[in-house]
């Protein structure tokens, strides 16, 4: 598990891909041994593996992204079992995402913004799991606000959309950050990149 912790988050795509292959083999082996969903057996590694598995589904390298998506389907083939697991370990996932929003690699920061937006979209609109994310909304928004000034325009672009998604899914929890968000969105209406301007307008609307 310690090897997977590092390889699944490596900046080198080939290493991350190798880690993804190892992660799939490890989890499918656990599944074959009928212990995948037994919490006393798996609680030690889910907080480590799950955040990295989630984020890698948005990684820019297509090989890593597609392989991670397929792994997710293989491991969580029971309806909504993946979403239940995300809600259960929301704290570990949110803390990892916040850390990755400030990663050295702009590709990782972009993926983190997309992954954060997915949390708001999938958990925030779910009748049973929406409360799992509520305690972390403010911290996630602060991490996204930091990305508004990123030197990489795709990161700024994804941060705009992610914040808008959060404000819709969690209007009460997002309210303290709304004045700052309004300023940032308005600033990005004059960004030199047209897609950033477009997504800032979408977020404002």
């Amino acid at each position: 598990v310690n090897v997977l912790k590092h390889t699944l988050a490596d900046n080198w795509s080939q290493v991350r891909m190798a880690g993804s292959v190892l992660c799939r083999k490890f989890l499918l082996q656990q599944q074959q041994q009928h212990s995948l969903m037994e919490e006393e057996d798996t609680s030690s590694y889910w907080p480590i593996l799950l955040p990295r598995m989630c984020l890698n589904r948005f990684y820019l390298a297509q090989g890593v992204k597609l392989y991670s998506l397929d792994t997710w389907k293989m491991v969580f083939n029971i309806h909504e079992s993946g979403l239940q697991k995300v809600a259960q370990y929301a704290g570990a996932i949110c803390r990892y995402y916040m850390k990755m929003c400030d990663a050295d690699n702009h590709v990782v920061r972009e993926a983190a913004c997309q992954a954060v937006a997915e949390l708001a979209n999938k958990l925030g609109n779910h009748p049973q799991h929406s409360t799992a994310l509520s305690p972390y909304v403010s911290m996630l928004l602060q991490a996204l606000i930091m990305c508004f000034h990123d030197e990489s325009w795709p990161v700024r672009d994804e941060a705009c959309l992610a914040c808008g998604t959060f404000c819709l899914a969690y209007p009460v929890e997002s309210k303290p950050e709304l004045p700052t968000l309004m300023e940032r969105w308005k600033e990005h209406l004059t960004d030199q990149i047209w897609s950033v301007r477009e997504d800032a307008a979408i977020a404002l609307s």
Side-chain angles (χ1 to χ4, degrees), residues 110-124:
E110 180 184 352
C113 289
Q114 291 176 315
V116 169
E118 183 196 38
L119 281 180
N121 187 41
K122 294 289 182 68
L123 290 184

Side-chain angles (χ1 to χ4, degrees), residues 23-31 45-46 53 75:
C23 183
R24 178 189 290 185
K25 290 182 178 179
F26 172 74
L27 290 176
L28 291 180
Q29 184 181 43
Q30 296 300 308
Q31 194 175 46
Y45 63 69
W46 277 128
M53 290 173 64
V75 173

Side-chain angles (χ1 to χ4, degrees), residues 4 7-8 15-25 56 64 67-68 71:
L4 289 172
T7 55
L8 288 173
V15 176
R16 196 176 288 244
M17 183 68 197
S20 299
V21 172
L22 178 60
C23 183
R24 178 189 290 185
K25 290 182 178 179
N56 282 343
V64 174
Y67 193 89
S68 298
T71 297

Side-chain angles (χ1 to χ4, degrees), residues 48-63:
I48 297 172
L49 298 186
L50 200 61
R52 290 156 178 81
M53 290 173 64
C54 289
L55 188 138
N56 282 343
R57 293 173 302 119
F58 296 96
Y59 196 69
L60 186 63
Q62 287 297 305

Side-chain angles (χ1 to χ4, degrees), residues 144-159:
L144 291 171
I145 288 171
M146 177 179 61
C147 292
F148 269 74
H149 296 294
D150 201 280
E151 60 184 13
S152 173
W153 70 261
V155 177
R156 301 197 302 272
D157 201 358
E158 295 298 339

Side-chain angles (χ1 to χ4, degrees), residues 37-38 153 171 181 200:
M37 297 302 170
E38 295 174 11
W153 70 261
L181 287 171

Side-chain angles (χ1 to χ4, degrees), residues 47 50-51 54 85-87 89-98 119:
L50 200 61
C54 289
K85 193 67 71 175
V86 169
Y89 292 99
I93 293 171
C94 289
R95 287 188 290 271
Y96 181 72
Y97 284 2
M98 286 185 282
L119 281 180

